[in-house]
Amino acid sequence: QVWLVESGGGLVQPGGSLRLSCEVTGSIYIAAMGWYRQASGQAREWVATITNNDYKTYADSVKGRFTISRDHATSTLYLHMNNLKPEDTGIYFCQLTGPSTVWGPGTQVTVSA
């Protein structure tokens, strides 16, 4: 069984920064990992993906502000978020793509003055 657990969310002022982490428990082949987010009352949207060979892609809304990275030794996934805006508010979910797709429970990020 594989579990994902996100951490690092919280309340931050506009222009601030946060670093989200996603720990992988269990052994599984990982083809790619990514971050998604869901604002209240809206559909879940893709934020960023990193492949097994560290190829990174970002949604246009976060490009230049967010950085996805992964510690291959521990399989921990990170999302460094800078210059946060109120529209970045939402629940952030970690996703693993391998033989199956695994989701974490999410961590809340609130950007507000």
Side-chain angles (χ1 to χ4, degrees), residues 44-84:
R44 191 172 299 188
E45 66 173 358
W46 169 71
V47 174
T49 296
I50 184 167
T51 66
N52 204 24
N53 58 358
D54 284 342
Y55 182 74
K56 305 172 185 180
T57 51
Y58 299 92
D60 287 343
S61 59
V62 306
K63 203 171 293 184
R65 300 187 298 122
F66 290 11
T67 302
I68 189 171
S69 63
R70 181 181 155 203
D71 182 334
H72 288 272
T74 62
S75 294
T76 302
L77 182 70
Y78 300 99
L79 186 68
H80 298 256
M81 306 185 293
N82 296 319
N83 191 21
L84 282 160

Side-chain angles (χ1 to χ4, degrees), residues 4 6-7 11-14 18-19 24 33 37 45 48 50 57 65 78 92 95 98 102-103 105 107 110:
L4 304 180
E6 303 95 337
S7 61
L11 173 64
V12 63
Q13 293 187 340
L18 282 175
R19 188 187 76 163
V24 180
M33 294 188 73
R37 66 186 181 187
E45 66 173 358
I50 184 167
T57 51
R65 300 187 298 122
Y78 300 99
Y92 282 68
Q95 184 214 50
V102 183
W103 291 91
T107 184
T110 303

